[in-house]
Amino acid sequence: MKISEILSAKDITISMEVFPPKTMDNYEKVARAADAIASYQPDFMSITYGAGGGTSEHTLKIAEEIRRREGVETLCHLTCVSSTQAKVHSQLARMQEMGLMNVMALRGDLPADGTAVLSDHYRHAVQLIEEIRQTGDFCIGGACYPEAHPESPSRKEDLRHLKEKQDAGCDFFTTQMFFDNSAMYSFLYRAREAGITVPIVAGIMPLTSVKQVARSQAMSGTFFPARFRTMVDRYGSNPKAFAEAGIAYATEQIADLIANDVTHIHIYTMNHPKTAREILNRLVYVLGREVLGPVGPAASGAGKTDPIGSSGIIHE
Ligand code: FAD
């Protein structure tokens, strides 16, 4: 099913994200974590694309497995970075063969060491979107930035390019992570004023370790409100307390977004089923879902320690 159909059919949607392993050694671990997340039946799952190569080989395989094993619709990311026209066409052809019809078209992150190559065909995501639209009947997603993309000279300019992506054939947008919901509300207002009419999915990143805070800031340039920074000050030296508070923060963001009619939520679950489950179990009544049981040890996170314990949250 196309993601655009899921977004228009359902009042509230929750999607989740996994990233493929960098090497084949970790493939099974990631596949198990992806299956565990899929077993929670999110409305769809997105699988990122390693712009620098390496992980890109596994994006379609994981997407196909999630769909076949768990019946969850998938969204395959694809980037301009490191892509030639031939590579894009072969990736799209394989998607068609595998019955995968949803693609997230991105420019990709440019590695700081300058190793990434941008071909003349794909300088910006809009060119990739145009090409995908001409190639087949895909549902196309694009990225958007409530606080503007860090390279943008202004918010206005950023929105102008966002509109170009919609005009080129984007069916929906997913936002970069944000930690201040008011930034999202003001972005939505400005986006609608600028003529963006397609659904905009709010991207929420549950930060469960202090290390992730600096990384997220460096990657997205996002603003951390005082309420978040206080949490870092208080719990920063206590990993378990920080993880608990990070989950609570993300949960509260989602509850507030839904209360304000921003009802399509994407959780950057980062291969951590327990994080996904903790959030869902804190919102069973808000989302109208069943309470989920504990995750088995085999799928408790791929390659990294998941700081959240395996005890479920009790709902009476
Ligand atoms: P673009 O839309 O090309 O925008 C990049 C910048 O160029 C912006 O400042 C924009 O305003 C400007 N711009 C756009 N069009 C033009 C134009 N025609 N002329 C001049 N300027 C223009 N990265 C990965 O490597 N793999 C992933 O799987 C991945 N998934 C992501 C998922 C989401 C939801 C998000 C929000 C980001 C993701 N990223 C991923 C990161 C993303 O690749 C980076 O944020 C990247 O820097 C920009 O990608 P974009 O598609 O928004 O690029």
Side-chain angles (χ1 to χ4, degrees):
M1 195 177 190
K2 289 185 173 174
I3 304 295
S4 52
E5 290 167 342
I6 297 173
L7 296 176
S8 67
K10 298 188 86 169
D11 177 26
I12 297 178
T13 64
I14 294 286
S15 51
M16 296 185 175
E17 186 158 301
V18 290
F19 59 89
K22 282 209 164 61
T23 60
M24 199 58 203
D25 302 351
N26 270 329
Y27 186 84
E28 278 310 314
K29 265 189 193 165
V30 171
R32 277 199 302 273
D35 278 353
I37 293 173
S39 75
Y40 302 153
Q41 296 292 302
D43 292 287
F44 63 92
M45 277 172 72
S46 71
I47 301 91
T48 66
Y49 189 87
T55 70
S56 59
E57 299 306 314
H58 304 304
T59 299
L60 302 193
K61 185 164 153 56
I62 293 178
E64 192 276 330
E65 285 174 359
I66 291 171
R67 213 161 165 255
R68 180 165 39 84
R69 291 187 194 148
E70 302 291 340
V72 171
E73 195 48 82
T74 51
L75 170 64
C76 301
H77 293 205
L78 183 61
T79 62
C80 298
V81 170
S82 301
S83 287
T84 58
Q85 265 192 313
K87 189 164 177 189
V88 165
H89 283 282
S90 91
Q91 192 84 349
L92 295 175
R94 280 183 64 209
M95 283 183 67
Q96 284 170 322
E97 279 162 27
M98 294 163 109
L100 304 169
M101 64 206 87
N102 300 296
V103 54
M104 185 77 175
L106 302 143
R107 185 194 66 185
D109 279 323
L110 302 172
D113 62 8
T115 49
V117 182
L118 273 176
S119 90
D120 285 342
H121 282 111
Y122 310 119
R123 311 293 309 172
H124 287 289
V126 66
Q127 291 155 313
L128 185 59
I129 293 160
E130 278 164 3
E131 187 114 347
I132 299 168
R133 183 50 74 228
Q134 284 162 18
T135 305
D137 185 22
F138 291 99
C139 170
I140 309 173
C144 66
Y145 303 83
E147 297 162 272
H149 186 272
E151 291 166 30
S152 281
S154 69
R155 289 173 184 225
K156 208 170 165 189
E157 186 73 357
D158 208 38
L159 275 177
R160 191 167 70 75
H161 293 308
L162 191 64
K163 176 72 165 48
E164 285 166 3
K165 293 203 274 194
Q166 175 180 279
D167 294 345
C170 248
D171 296 297
F172 68 96
F173 293 114
T174 302
T175 74
Q176 180 60 285
M177 66 182 90
F178 58 89
F179 297 88
D180 178 2
N181 284 2
S182 61
M184 177 66 179
Y185 301 137
S186 119
F187 168 72
L188 283 175
Y189 176 76
R190 286 181 289 109
R192 298 309 180 207
E193 283 286 294
I196 308 294
T197 52
V198 299
I200 297 179
V201 180
I204 295 298
M205 170 75 105
L207 291 182
T208 52
S209 82
V210 174
K211 256 203 291 188
Q212 292 175 327
V213 177
R215 220 183 302 140
S216 303
Q217 169 94 73
M219 218 174 75
S220 65
T222 188
F223 165 72
F224 289 106
R227 205 162 62 81
F228 188 93
R229 284 182 274 122
T230 318
M231 197 178 87
V232 178
D233 286 348
R234 176 79 195 188
Y235 306 119
S237 55
N238 180 340
K240 286 195 171 155
F242 186 83
E244 200 170 68
I247 295 284
Y249 193 94
T251 305
E252 209 184 303
Q253 270 194 286
I254 296 171
D256 178 69
L257 287 165
I258 293 175
N260 283 283
D261 293 329
V262 179
T263 57
H264 299 306
I265 311 288
H266 183 68
I267 308 177
Y268 291 104
T269 38
M270 310 299 286
N271 299 0
H272 286 311
K274 285 182 195 164
T275 303
R277 189 199 52 166
E278 290 285 328
I279 293 176
L280 293 179
N281 274 353
R282 283 169 155 93
L283 291 170
V284 287
Y285 299 115
V286 167
L287 303 175
R289 286 174 176 252
E290 300 284 313
V291 178
L292 299 162
V295 189
S300 61
K304 293 178 187 164
T305 313
D306 193 325
I308 302 297
S310 61
S311 60
I313 294 167
I314 298 162
H315 288 267
E316 297 181 330

